[in-house]
Every structure is written in structure tokens, then in C-alpha cells.
Amino acid sequence: MNKEKIIAMIISATMLAGITMNAVAMDRKSMGKQEQLKVIQISEKKEEIISEDKAKELSKKHLKEFFGIDITEEYTAKAYLNKYTGNDKASWSINWSLTKENDNININIVIDSIHGELISMSKYNYGAQSADIPTISYSQAKEIAVKKMNQICKEKASEVLTSNDNLTFNGNSGEYAFNFVRVNQEVAYEQNNISFVIDGHTGQVKRFNINWDDNAEFPEVDQAISVWKAENLFVDSIDFNLVYNKYRNKYRFQDEENLKNIKLVYDLLLNNGIYIDAVSGKAFFRYDINESKMKELDLTEKEFNEVLNKYKELKELEDVLTESDVQEIAQKFIQDNIGKDFTLQNAYFDSNDREKEKGWYLNYSKEEKYNGNIDDYGVEKENKENKENKEEQEEYIKITNVSIWIDSVTGQIKSMNQYSHIRNSNGMGYFYNDDKEFEASVTWEEGYKKAIEIIGKYYSDKVKNLDYHVEKHIYTDRKGNPIQDRKYYYTFNRVENGIPFNENNITITIDAGNGELTSLNKYWYKDGEFVSPEKKLSEKEIIKIFRDKYEPQLRFIKKDNKISLVYEIKGNEDIYDFKDFDAFDGDILNYNGEEIIEDTEAFFKEIENSKVKKELEILAYSGLLDIREFELDKEVTNKELIKLIVDAYGYRPYVVEDNREYDMAKTAEAVAMDEKKDSNETPQNGYDLTDKDYIEMAKFYGIIDGEITEELLDEKVDRVSLAKAMIKFTGYEEIAKISEIFKVNAKDEGEIKEEMKGYVALSLGFNILETENGYLKPSTEIEYEELCSALYNALQNKKSNINPYPIPYYKSID
């Protein structure tokens, strides 16, 4: 059922409900005081909680009736009565478990402890085995969820709409999740909802939950200010900040340097609140933020120029530093910033090729007598030298530890951390007591100056690329008195081309008590590519795009135990929950830094009459098809086959290191391949993976044997080659190699080479290939429709895959 029909049903239901409510209101007005008192007395009557045995019987009934689960005597039960659920409703939670040779089933069901109504259900079978890919499509799963919802709570089902008609496939688990949100006066109330998780392999309900307030009172929508006025209020309060962002790639792996996925974007910041009261027009956040005063500091122009004058290029040393070399650097640093008499405890060499770092990690410590206050597990003790009986006085030792990491190629300090604890003569450990009478000897402003001095002294190569603006919240106690910080934290973010890149920074911590440096950390990519902002869109152009893609939408939310009508800035489609705009073309980017595909209609139109429509839809929602410019009859090259199989394996980019070598045949084709920057060095379709990345992973997985050339990659794939690739993918190649045990059930078997018959026979058995009128036509070049069908059936027969599939963001079509 499409959304328009559902909305029409809701409008009809709302009108009928309005008539009923008016009648009830008139009847109530006619009641006398005595009758009203009777109503009050009835409402105050305490309702009895159903017994544990009754709860168990009801849980069995619900499981059988709604989910087809038969609780036999083999199951064991645990019951828990929860009297505090946050909505004044007590509930019974019943857990049923069953362990067999191939099953480890755990079912949890929650029911209303007064009326016995179903609230939630979850079922897990930890021993179940399933294929790598679902057997039912997203739309089929949604039909199951809607049918179950009408069966379980038909009245409530008439008041909801689907809130997430974008992709909800959950990685390799093969689950489809649906959330049906309560709607009143055609306005969503997301805090009331009915949710399902459907098993993509069996079509069974794995999880169900209903969150519903039967006594909800909704304000009238006609009180709301206009959408136009709300939009202007939002736009006026939004900051469109130009920043560099680093994105993960579509396989969830986020490389520490990920050079190919740093983008220049406009980031949206809602300063006054994410909601606007639809009646008053006042902006606010869902949860009250504790009000606190803000202090901020920055360098004056003179101070900034003084810092810039300290710039000095950091060069690699002629010889890599030895342990004795870095000890000398570390000891001087500690003596200059923390103190003397520290002893080296241990040192080890640390090398990380991915981060292009090599260095030494050293630990130092120092012991000294301690005469201050301590906290012995909450019991404060005094340890002062003026005690009357010094013979009974327990001695305490302060142990200060310093860890420091030094780059052995440049000699620069990457990190330093200092921490202390107290021990008595028996070796027992104590921590400092945070004395309520603590007084800072160093102000926040003085600590800032020291932090700037440290940057100029130890990071002179970075002084041109830092933002020196810092902020600090001033928090108060219950009496309104400022709370004194024990430590001051300063973060100086990286700046490139005058634009912040907050992923990199230098952080410094100063002890407010003694002014000592307690921590120093530099997080900085050694090689980062930051595109020039010269051709970026203006803020005015971005605002226009924002207005086209986003609009204020009415919502009901519950705040301070009251349902309020608000405007929330939302995308015109559910997929626009993202708030980053590409600075050059205005595309809205997803978590991978990829353009969100707005129009999927062309893809669904293309596959509408395909005999493998369901399989294509499943592959698309699983993230294994790029649906842009998808054509069923497109011929398939080896390059495209490789990419699809690598995606199906689950691409793992950490296996591929930068500056890698490729075993390409040194032919003219190979040289041309290296020089084809557009196809091999530049990511295709907006993704951050190049052709070479795919080829390297194909070698890692064993998809490619031996050398590879551009000419070979551009060759068309025939049916026998497809069979070999898919059988290798399923993990049954060793069996396929025993060709003499196989017979290919096809009239043209003689056209198949002997060494390929095992691959073909298994492919026919797995439905990866099909014959037509008894003929296989082994030399026929395949098209994309057959490739996708083959991959789907290969995944149904593949041994378990632990790698995640990419996570696409496609808008679905009902």
C-alpha cells in the first residue's frame, strides 16, 4: 500500500475519531458532580497484576498466534516482573530457552502485566546456519511486517506510516528493519512506534516492539506558524561552516590516513536548537543543556606573528635515531617540563607502516615522599609531619610516571602523558584526594600562554597550520559558584588553506595546581591531500541548495511530560538525514563521503520485467550493485566481474598499503594502464576505491592468478569463465578441479574443455548457470542480468563470509 492511500485512511480515521470525541465531550458536559466523582473513584481503583503462571501462558499464546513459535516442554523459562518501565506500566518479561545439537534458541517476550497485551518479542538462534545473502527482498519483508502488524495490533496499525523507506539492510546478518511511526493529524509522533526486524532468509519475525501511549493528547496542528516562517527561522540560525572532513569508505573501514577520502564540505550547525516551537517560533534542543558561561582565547595579531616567526621546517634525519639517542631527547624534555631524577623503566621500538611512523616508546618514573592528603577508598586520612606520635605515622610515597613517544626519523615528540599515584610502605596504591579547598596557582589564561610556548618550541613546523582559538565552559555548583578545574585542556586544530580540519590537532594539558605539563599529543597525517577551495560554491549558493533539499516538517515530540508541536528541519527524503554538502557541486554526502542517490526509479524500472527481479533487488539493497546507469543487457568485462566479486567477498582496504607494487606484465597495455589516471588512479562513481585497489584485493582473495594486463581486464566474460569465477568464490574450487568425476548435463558438453567441466557441473548444480533447451552455450558472452543472477545463487551456496558488505543509501520504491 502506498503512502497516499495510508494517509487517506488516516485522515478518514481521524475524522471518525473526531466525531466520536465530540459526542463523548457533549456527554461529559451533561454529567453531574456526583457522576464525575464516581468516575474518579473508578479510575483510582487499583488494577491487579496477572500472576507469573498466567503471564507464561499468555506468552505461549502470543508466540504461537503471532509468530508461529510453539513453546514445547523442552523449553525452560525465566520470568521477571518489571514494575518500573518509565511509562507507569508494569510488565512481565518471560525468557524461553532451548538448547539442542544444532540449535541454541533464546526467546524473550514482554507483556503488559495488567492486560497481558504483547509489548515486545525477540528470537535468536545462535546455532542457525544461513546463506550470505537473503532469500526474500526488501519489499517482501515489508509486506510480512505490515501483515504481522495488522494481526498483532490492528487498531494501532491504522495510525502509523513507515518512517524509514530508505535502505535498512543490516550488513551480513540478512535482516530487514522497519519502523512504523504513529501519526496524528498527518503529523508524525516518532516516540510512539511499532518496529519489526524480519529475517531475510526465513521471512520470520526476529524482533518486534511497540512503544505506545494510550493516553497521549495531541495539540491542534492548525495552531502552527507557516512553513515559510519556520524555514526562515532555521536558515537564520544555521552556520554553514566550510571544513575539511574525512570520511570512512563504504566498507566501514576507516584508515588512519585515508588520503583518498578527505573532502571539502559545508557543514551545517544549528546554533539555537534542532527544533522550533510550531506555535511560538522559539528554537530549542530536545534536552536542556546545562547553561554555562563560555570563555574564549585567541592570539592577538602581534602574538600570532611572533608564533609564525618560530616556524622551522621539520626534516628527516640522516640516520634513524637509536635508543640512546631518543633517551637523551626524552630526558631533556622531562627535565625541562616536569622535573629531574626520573628513571627509565622500559623502552621499545614501535613501527607502523600504515601510518608511516617509526619511533620509540619510553616509560620513566620517579618516587618521592608524600605529605599531603590522600583518599583511602573514600575515608580521608591526614599524613602531616606535625603528628604527635610520629612512630605510628604511616609513610606514603608519590610515584610519578611519564610515557613518551618519539619519532625516530625526525626526533619529534608525538605524545607524552604524565600520571601519578600514592602508595604506602606496604605497596598499597591510593589516588589523590580531590581536596574541596583546592586552589589553582595557574589561571586558564596563563596555561594557554604556556601551551603556545610548548607548540613553538616542539612543533615549530606546525605553527602555520593551527587554529589558536580555544574555548572553555565555566561550570558552577548548586550554589552558583564557579567550579575550579584541576586541569586545563587546550586543543589546537589543524588548518589547511585557511580551513579547519578537525580530525588532526595538537592537544596540551596543563595542571592548574602547579602549572606542569601533564599531557601532549600530536595527531597529524603525514601525507594529506587538501583540495584548493578556489572553485567552491558560495555560502549563498549552498543556502539555495539547502532550501531546495530541506524543509521544516511538523513533528510531535514529548518534552517535560507534554506532547508539543514542533518544526524539525528534515530532508525532503528520509535519506537526507545527512548534513554535509560537497563544497563544489552541493551534493549531499552520506557517511562515506559519497553522493546520495536520490532517484532510484530508473533502476527499478529497468529491472521491472526481469526474470530475476527479486534477486536484483536483494543485491542492490545489500550494497552489491551500483544502481547508477544500471543496464540489464550490458556486456560484462573481466574488470567488472572482478569488482563485483571483490565487493561480495567484503573489501578490506587495510590489506592494501600505499606505494604497493603490482605484478603487471610490462607490456604496452600494462604501461597504458598505469598511465590511465582517469580509470585507475581516480575513484569511479564517487567511490574512494580505484581499479588498482580492486585488482590488489582480487589477488589477495585469489580471484586473479598470475599476471594481469589492461587487455585481459577489458576482455568479455563468457559462461565458462563465469562458472570458474563463481565456483572459486563459493570455496569449492578444489572439488571442481577433479573434473573426471563430473558429467555436464548439457547437449553441448563436448564444447567444454575437460579441466573446466567440474566448474560448469557445480555451477549448474548451484543454479549459477542454466541451460536453455538442453544447451549451455559455453562460449556465449554474458550480460549483467546473468552475472547478477549467478552471484546471487553463488552467495546462497557460499561458505560463511565474515567480511561486511558496503552499506548503500538508496531510497526504496514501494
Side-chain angles (χ1 to χ4, degrees):
M1 182 180 291
N2 60 35
K3 293 182 180 179
E4 288 75 16
K5 290 182 180 179
I6 296 176
I7 290 173
M9 292 173 61
I10 292 171
I11 294 172
S12 300
T14 305
M15 292 173 63
L16 290 172
I19 295 169
T20 306
M21 289 301 296
N22 288 335
V24 172
M26 292 174 61
D27 187 52
R28 284 179 179 171
K29 288 179 181 178
S30 66
M31 287 195 305
K33 292 183 179 180
Q34 185 176 358
E35 187 66 22
Q36 290 180 20
L37 287 172
K38 287 181 181 179
V39 172
I40 293 171
Q41 290 171 357
I42 292 171
S43 65
E44 290 179 351
K45 182 179 179 181
K46 188 175 182 180
E47 297 178 298
E48 294 184 1
I49 293 176
I50 61 178
S51 67
E52 178 185 346
D53 290 339
K54 179 67 173 175
K56 289 179 180 177
E57 287 303 313
L58 283 170
S59 72
K60 288 182 181 181
K61 177 178 178 295
H62 291 325
L63 289 170
K64 179 69 175 177
E65 180 181 353
F66 298 139
F67 308 110
I69 301 172
D70 192 9
I71 301 298
T72 64
E73 294 181 355
E74 298 176 287
Y75 282 85
T76 58
K78 292 181 182 178
Y80 171 69
L81 178 62
N82 183 7
K83 292 186 176 181
Y84 179 77
T85 60
N87 57 10
D88 300 325
K89 281 187 177 182
S91 62
W92 276 106
S93 178
I94 313 295
N95 181 270
W96 297 98
S97 59
L98 172 65
T99 302
K100 286 185 174 182
E101 181 180 357
N102 297 319
D103 289 310
N104 184 3
I105 300 173
N106 188 287
I107 302 169
N108 193 72
I109 181 169
V110 178
I111 61 174
D112 180 349
S113 65
I114 304 298
H115 307 292
E117 294 178 350
L118 177 64
I119 297 174
S120 70
M121 188 282 296
S122 63
K123 177 186 176 183
Y124 296 92
N125 187 349
Y126 300 101
Q129 299 292 323
S130 59
D132 273 0
I133 202 81
T135 57
I136 65 172
S137 68
Y138 175 92
S139 55
Q140 289 174 320
K142 185 175 180 180
E143 288 178 8
I144 293 169
V146 171
K147 183 177 179 181
K148 285 294 180 183
M149 179 170 57
N150 281 292
Q151 183 183 2
I152 297 169
C153 46
K154 188 173 183 178
E155 291 184 4
K156 294 180 176 64
S158 65
E159 299 181 46
V160 301
L161 286 177
T162 312
S163 71
N164 57 346
D165 257 346
N166 53 318
L167 176 77
T168 48
F169 179 75
N170 186 14
N172 292 47
S173 63
E175 297 178 350
Y176 295 103
F178 302 94
N179 188 40
F180 301 94
V181 171
R182 185 175 185 175
V183 175
N184 183 279
Q185 304 170 77
E186 299 185 40
V187 175
Y189 180 41
E190 295 181 352
Q191 287 161 281
N192 277 195
N193 54 73
I194 303 169
S195 61
F196 286 88
V197 173
I198 306 299
D199 189 311
H201 303 102
T202 65
Q204 295 178 348
V205 178
K206 293 187 70 174
R207 292 189 290 280
F208 161 81
N209 185 75
I210 182 167
N211 183 21
W212 205 271
D213 181 2
D214 294 322
N215 300 313
E217 295 182 359
F218 297 95
E220 294 298 324
V221 173
D222 58 12
Q223 303 175 38
I225 60 176
S226 68
V227 174
W228 176 82
K229 184 175 182 179
E231 182 175 296
N232 287 332
L233 288 171
F234 271 119
V235 171
D236 290 344
S237 68
I238 292 176
D239 280 342
F240 295 86
N241 298 318
L242 193 62
V243 297
Y244 288 107
N245 275 352
K246 185 189 79 171
Y247 296 89
R248 70 183 183 185
N249 63 37
K250 61 179 179 176
Y251 297 89
R252 291 181 178 165
F253 178 84
Q254 184 166 312
D255 185 81
E256 281 78 358
E257 296 191 343
N258 207 352
L259 304 180
K260 289 170 278 192
N261 219 6
I262 295 175
K263 295 180 180 291
L264 182 63
V265 301
Y266 279 98
D267 182 46
L268 274 62
L269 179 63
L270 293 162
N271 291 311
N272 299 333
I274 62 174
Y275 299 107
I276 288 177
D277 188 298
V279 179
S280 69
K282 182 181 178 181
F284 66 95
F285 292 96
R286 169 71 66 87
Y287 303 106
D288 292 330
I289 300 174
N290 293 328
E291 292 187 5
S292 61
K293 294 182 179 179
M294 181 76 73
K295 293 177 69 175
E296 52 186 331
L297 276 174
D298 205 341
L299 296 176
T300 64
E301 184 177 354
K302 178 182 177 183
E303 291 169 335
F304 181 64
N305 290 329
E306 289 175 353
V307 172
L308 292 184
N309 289 333
K310 296 180 180 180
Y311 173 79
K312 184 179 180 181
E313 183 182 357
L314 182 67
K315 297 181 179 180
E316 293 187 358
L317 304 171
E318 293 184 4
D319 299 315
V320 175
L321 297 177
T322 64
E323 181 178 350
S324 59
D325 294 330
V326 294
Q327 284 185 35
E328 185 177 339
I329 295 172
Q331 288 167 358
K332 186 177 189 312
F333 179 88
I334 293 171
Q335 183 172 329
D336 291 346
N337 294 279
I338 300 173
K340 300 179 180 180
D341 303 323
F342 278 85
T343 304
L344 178 67
Q345 298 300 315
N346 57 67
Y348 62 85
F349 182 74
D350 180 23
S351 177
N352 187 325
D353 290 340
R354 181 146 44 94
E355 292 188 22
K356 300 182 178 70
E357 288 184 334
K358 295 180 180 180
W360 286 88
Y361 189 84
L362 305 98
N363 287 296
Y364 290 84
S365 69
K366 173 184 178 180
E367 295 185 4
E368 56 190 323
K369 187 176 181 181
Y370 179 73
N371 296 315
N373 292 343
I374 65 169
D375 188 350
D376 184 5
Y377 299 101
V379 180
E380 189 176 296
K381 293 183 177 181
E382 288 189 352
N383 182 38
K384 297 183 178 179
E385 295 190 20
N386 60 358
K387 278 193 172 183
E388 294 181 2
N389 189 351
K390 291 189 178 181
E391 292 181 359
E392 296 181 1
Q393 180 179 336
E394 190 171 11
E395 292 187 353
Y396 291 89
I397 298 173
K398 175 184 175 183
I399 302 175
T400 302
N401 296 281
V402 177
S403 60
I404 188 167
W405 198 99
I406 299 174
D407 191 311
S408 61
V409 178
T410 64
Q412 191 170 70
I413 295 168
K414 179 184 177 182
S415 66
M416 185 284 300
N417 290 281
Q418 176 194 169
Y419 55 95
S420 303
H421 65 281
I422 311 299
R423 287 187 177 179
N424 62 14
S425 56
N426 295 323
M428 299 296 290
Y430 301 88
F431 292 99
Y432 283 115
N433 176 37
D434 284 341
D435 196 332
K436 294 179 181 179
E437 298 179 359
F438 171 84
E439 291 186 7
S441 64
V442 177
T443 65
W444 180 62
E445 291 78 6
E446 291 170 337
Y448 175 77
K449 289 182 178 180
K450 182 165 186 176
I452 297 297
E453 291 174 1
I454 290 170
I455 288 175
K457 185 174 182 180
Y458 298 103
Y459 301 106
S460 57
D461 61 308
K462 301 291 187 292
V463 294
K464 293 181 179 180
N465 297 96
L466 288 173
D467 180 4
Y468 295 99
H469 178 266
V470 295
E471 296 178 343
K472 175 184 179 297
H473 287 278
I474 302 176
Y475 296 101
T476 58
D477 59 22
R478 294 180 179 178
K479 296 181 180 180
N481 300 317
I483 299 173
Q484 174 60 54
D485 295 315
R486 266 62 177 180
K487 293 180 180 180
Y488 301 129
Y489 301 91
Y490 306 94
T491 298
F492 303 95
N493 290 318
R494 182 174 183 174
V495 174
E496 294 291 341
N497 300 317
I499 300 168
F501 178 55
N502 298 334
E503 191 80 23
N504 284 181
N505 51 60
I506 294 174
T507 62
I508 295 173
T509 307
I510 303 294
D511 191 301
N514 56 26
E516 284 185 2
L517 173 68
T518 60
S519 75
L520 173 66
N521 288 279
K522 179 197 72 172
Y523 187 58
W524 205 276
Y525 297 164
K526 290 202 170 182
D527 299 300
E529 296 176 1
F530 298 89
V531 64
S532 168
E534 183 180 355
K535 297 182 180 180
K536 68 176 176 60
L537 297 175
S538 68
E539 184 174 328
K540 185 177 181 180
E541 290 172 310
I542 289 295
I543 290 175
K544 184 180 184 304
I545 294 171
F546 173 80
R547 286 183 181 271
D548 290 339
K549 300 291 186 181
Y550 289 84
E551 66 178 8
Q553 295 182 12
L554 282 173
R555 291 283 188 272
F556 289 116
I557 67 167
K558 194 167 188 177
K559 182 174 172 61
D560 300 327
N561 295 319
K562 178 184 177 182
I563 297 177
S564 300
L565 181 64
V566 303
Y567 276 108
E568 180 183 9
I569 197 74
K570 298 280 285 186
N572 296 329
E573 305 290 352
D574 287 340
I575 53 176
Y576 292 156
D577 283 341
F578 309 96
K579 298 294 190 293
D580 290 349
F581 288 78
D582 189 294
F584 299 102
D585 54 27
D587 289 338
I588 303 172
L589 305 180
N590 62 24
Y591 294 129
N592 304 328
E594 300 168 354
E595 175 192 358
I596 296 172
I597 302 174
E598 300 179 35
D599 183 15
T600 59
E601 191 171 349
F603 169 75
F604 284 98
K605 185 177 181 180
E606 174 72 10
I607 69 172
E608 178 62 34
N609 298 317
S610 172
K611 63 180 179 180
V612 289
K613 176 184 176 182
K614 183 190 79 170
E615 289 84 348
L616 290 165
E617 183 181 339
I618 290 172
L619 290 174
Y621 279 123
S622 300
L624 295 177
L625 293 185
D626 183 359
I627 68 173
R628 286 168 279 201
E629 300 179 2
F630 182 87
E631 297 176 7
L632 289 173
D633 58 358
K634 178 183 175 182
E635 292 183 327
V636 179
T637 65
N638 281 321
K639 184 189 296 183
E640 290 160 336
L641 174 63
I642 287 169
K643 287 183 178 182
L644 192 60
I645 294 178
V646 168
D647 279 345
Y649 266 113
Y651 188 93
R652 294 186 292 176
Y654 56 82
V655 176
V656 183
E657 300 295 341
D658 289 327
N659 302 317
R660 55 217 139 184
E661 297 294 329
Y662 294 89
D663 296 324
M664 299 281 183
K666 294 305 178 181
T667 61
E669 291 82 5
V671 173
M673 180 180 179
D674 288 338
E675 293 176 350
K676 282 182 70 175
K677 300 295 183 182
D678 288 341
S679 65
N680 298 307
E681 295 295 349
T682 304
Q684 302 296 302
N685 297 322
Y687 293 144
D688 62 339
L689 304 174
T690 66
D691 289 350
K692 282 190 174 183
D693 291 333
Y694 275 109
I695 293 166
E696 187 70 5
M697 280 310 306
K699 291 181 179 181
F700 174 80
Y701 284 130
I703 300 169
I704 295 176
D705 298 322
E707 297 177 347
I708 187 74
T709 65
E710 181 74 4
E711 183 181 21
L712 180 59
L713 289 171
D714 288 337
E715 283 184 5
K716 302 293 192 300
V717 177
D718 61 31
R719 305 195 80 203
V720 173
S721 299
L722 175 66
K724 182 176 181 180
M726 290 300 169
I727 294 304
K728 290 179 73 172
F729 171 67
T730 59
Y732 293 100
E733 183 178 26
E734 293 305 313
I735 297 175
K737 286 180 178 179
I738 313 174
S739 57
E740 59 268 20
I741 68 173
F742 291 101
K743 176 175 173 57
V744 177
N745 188 20
K747 295 177 181 179
D748 47 2
E749 178 186 12
E751 298 178 23
I752 304 169
K753 293 180 180 179
E754 191 66 29
E755 65 271 18
M756 302 300 293
K757 287 185 177 179
Y759 296 100
V760 174
L762 283 175
S763 293
L764 289 169
F766 289 158
N767 293 321
I768 292 171
L769 294 180
E770 294 180 352
T771 58
E772 184 177 351
N773 298 322
Y775 290 92
L776 180 68
K777 301 178 182 178
S779 60
T780 300
E781 293 175 350
I782 67 168
E783 296 178 345
Y784 235 83
E785 183 177 32
E786 184 174 6
L787 171 62
C788 294
S789 175
L791 177 63
Y792 175 84
N793 287 302
L795 283 164
Q796 293 296 331
N797 294 281
K798 187 181 180 300
K799 297 174 183 178
S800 180
N801 180 23
I802 62 172
N803 300 316
Y805 296 143
I807 303 176
Y809 297 92
Y810 299 151
K811 176 178 175 290
S812 72
I813 303 294
D814 282 345

